[in-house]
Structures are given as C-alpha cells and as structure tokens.
Amino acid sequence: METTNKNDFINIYVLETLNEIKGMVKNNIKLEKEKETEIDKKMAIVLNDLINANFKNLQKDPKGNLIYTILPIVDEYENKKIRISLALYYTALYYDNIDLLRDLIKEDIEFNRNYHINFQYLDKSISSRFEKEKYIEMIKTCGYIFRNFAKSIEGLTEEKKEQYIQRFVKLINLKYDLIKNISNKKTCYDELEHLFEKANLDTFTDETYIKATEEQLRLINNSYRENFSEEVRDRLNNLMKTKGFSNHLSDLSLMMKNIYR
C-alpha cells in the first residue's frame, strides 16, 4: 500500500512538473500536438528517473508532513535554474537538438533575457543550415535576430517556412559582417531585432537587403509594423536601391505617394 501511494504521488508530481515546464516552453514557441505528445512521454521518463534517484531526499514541513522535491534544494534561484534547465531540455528534445543545447551552454549563451527564454536558438530547421561554430558566433552576436525571425514564421506551413528560412539564411550570411559591426558599437543590444521578420521579408526584396547600408538596415528593421501597399513597396525598394534612400519617416506610405515619385 505504501509503495502504491508513493508511485501515485510520483505520477502526479511528474504531471505537475511537466505542465509547468511546458507552460514555460509554450509561452515562447508553438508546439505541434502530435510531436508534443511524443516528447511528453520522453520527458516523463527523465523526470521519473530524477525523482526516483533522489526520492530519499525528503524534508518535513512545520506540521511534520513530508515534502517531496526532485532535488533537495530550497533556494528559489536554484529552483528557477532547474526549471529553466528542464524547459531547455524539453525544447532540445522537441527539436532533436540536444548536442546543440550542450554546445550553447558550454559557450555560456544567455537563453533567458528581457523576460523571454530564447528557445528558438534550438530550432534545428534553422540551426542546421549553419556550421556549428559559425552558428554559435552568430547567436552570440545577434541571437535576437534569430529569435524574432523564428517567431515570425511560426504559424506557416512547413513549405512556406522553408521558403522563408532559405531567404533568411542567404541574407543573414551576406549581411552578417555589417550586422556584426553594428552590434559591436553596442548602441543598443537589439537594435536590429526585427531585421528579418516575415513582415520585412515580405516588404523588401533580396536585392534591397543585399545592397543595404547600415542606415538602410535600420530603416528595414523599423518598418516591421508598416502595412505598405504594393505600389509603395515597389517605390520604396527602388529608392533604396537606386538613390540610397534611408530616412524612416513617420508615414512612409504617405510620403511615397506624395513626394517620392
């Protein structure tokens, strides 16, 4: 009877912990239901192993009731670190990218920044397009660009995602030296964070990106919330490519219609 009670409790604890971990992950990335179910089973085994290995580590509350924890840690900072580590491990399992997680941690990559956990760094559909050393360097330099690009294409079909990923890989490789130069100035950590979001890739052509100067990259970055008509997009791209236009005006659509003809 005692064993049954213990096992029942462990199962409940695993479910609670798994839901907590997935809550952290789902706040940052969308999970495919079928794949989520598969990873849940794998993660439940990991959590069960952790609990069974440390079940002897019991504490008692002031009333004498037993307190069960995965690890005998009461420090809030350590508990938070453990849960983030478990969430990162879940994501790495989901993306089949455990080795990359290990490498990024070895390189002291900061996943938790500005109220976000950058699980997108582990997206194998993107990371696999780069040499490992180059990818790690890019994440150190401008990981925020990778995070926001990945988030911007989350809701697309696999075919559409692939099209955007191919463009992203091509363009960030071509513009990386300039992006790195801008990032090294440290005027703002995430100055170009929206540079390759879907909205901007829909507005600006590859040629515009390739020819873009530092100021023009900032213009592109700051245009991600604009809703340009096709006419305005064409005019803006043409001006940037042929006239070096780089002014981010308060209403670009209006200016393009009335001034830049």
Side-chain angles (χ1 to χ4, degrees), residues 28 88 110-113 116-122 143-144 147 189:
N28 291 273
L88 286 170
E110 188 174 7
F111 283 92
N112 196 8
R113 186 178 180 88
H116 298 287
I117 304 175
N118 298 322
F119 297 112
Q120 292 80 10
Y121 295 172
L122 297 169
Y144 46 87
R147 176 196 69 207
Y189 172 79

Side-chain angles (χ1 to χ4, degrees), residues 76-112:
E76 184 60 32
Y77 173 81
E78 287 298 320
N79 274 319
K80 183 178 180 182
K81 185 168 70 174
I82 288 168
R83 275 157 175 72
I84 290 175
S85 296
L86 289 170
L88 286 170
Y89 187 72
Y90 183 98
T91 307
L93 282 174
Y94 181 82
Y95 286 126
D96 187 24
N97 228 352
I98 297 291
D99 288 343
L100 178 63
L101 174 60
R102 188 182 299 113
D103 290 333
L104 291 175
I105 291 173
K106 282 181 181 177
E107 292 294 327
D108 199 26
I109 296 297
E110 188 174 7
F111 283 92
N112 196 8

Side-chain angles (χ1 to χ4, degrees), residues 107-168:
E107 292 294 327
D108 199 26
I109 296 297
E110 188 174 7
F111 283 92
N112 196 8
R113 186 178 180 88
N114 295 341
Y115 307 104
H116 298 287
I117 304 175
N118 298 322
F119 297 112
Q120 292 80 10
Y121 295 172
L122 297 169
D123 189 337
K124 199 170 189 176
S125 67
I126 298 172
S127 68
S128 63
R129 312 302 173 97
F130 302 86
E131 293 293 330
K132 183 179 71 174
E133 291 76 14
K134 187 67 174 179
Y135 183 74
I136 292 172
E137 179 194 333
M138 285 177 153
I139 292 297
K140 286 181 177 179
T141 301
C142 55
Y144 46 87
I145 291 179
F146 284 80
R147 176 196 69 207
N148 286 349
F149 165 72
K151 285 188 70 66
S152 75
I153 63 169
E154 272 186 334
L156 302 181
T157 63
E158 291 305 310
E159 183 180 358
K160 278 290 185 184
K161 279 185 182 179
E162 177 61 23
Q163 292 173 8
Y164 281 98
I165 290 171
Q166 287 184 16
R167 283 189 70 198
F168 171 75

